[in-house]
Amino acid sequence: MTQSRCAAHPADQAVDTCSRCGNFLCLGCVLKLDGRVYCGECVKRVATEKQPASKLSSWALGLSGLGLLAACIAPFAVASLLGLILGIVVLRQVSQGLVASDGRARAIAAVVAGALGLVAGGISGAYFYFSRLP
Ligand SMILES: [Zn+2]
Ligand SMILES: [Zn+2]
């Protein structure tokens, strides 16, 4: 480590490594985001990648949660279906490396909650339907 040189400035000694690409970084190249160390290129990529994944996965989880709540009181599974689809979209984007993986847990939760909401919606829908039959 003591012999390592900055990838961008070979004259300067490296003090840290980028947590994304692993490049050696001198003191002037170290950038921090959410407590992690990145190089200049990676901090840009992480900052731009992070937003859409987090937002989309939050929407997916919100819709799934809403759908699950709604399905318990009324046969209304549209939000669950949307949340389920959004969750799957986020998971596919994460697996393809298109977006940061920080939204992954939320996307999985959204898929599970969406599926549960659909089942609950289906059960309560069937209950409402059959209870109205003469
Ligand atoms: Zn980097
Ligand atoms: Zn440097």
Side-chain angles (χ1 to χ4, degrees), residues 4-125:
S4 301
R5 299 280 158 182
C6 173
H9 311 96
D12 294 323
Q13 185 152 340
V15 294
D16 219 329
T17 53
C18 173
S19 65
R20 192 172 181 278
C21 69
N23 272 351
F24 290 115
L25 307 170
C26 69
L27 207 55
C29 287
V30 168
L31 291 166
K32 288 191 176 171
L33 186 71
D34 292 342
R36 301 184 76 177
V37 172
Y38 297 101
C39 68
E41 281 307 303
C42 290
V43 82
K44 269 186 263 169
R45 294 199 62 166
V46 169
T48 52
E49 279 171 354
K50 250 184 114 132
Q51 287 313 100
S54 299
K55 247 183 204 165
L56 200 60
S57 59
S58 299
W59 271 100
L61 187 55
L63 281 169
S64 293
L66 191 71
L68 188 57
L69 270 178
C72 292
I73 46 175
F76 181 74
V78 178
S80 294
L81 188 62
L82 284 174
L84 182 65
I85 292 168
L86 270 184
I88 291 169
V89 167
V90 173
L91 281 180
R92 286 195 60 173
Q93 286 179 338
V94 168
S95 70
Q96 286 166 355
L98 292 174
V99 291
S101 59
D102 69 310
R104 194 194 184 101
R106 256 175 295 177
I108 291 170
V111 171
V112 172
L116 280 175
L118 276 183
V119 171
I123 291 169
S124 64

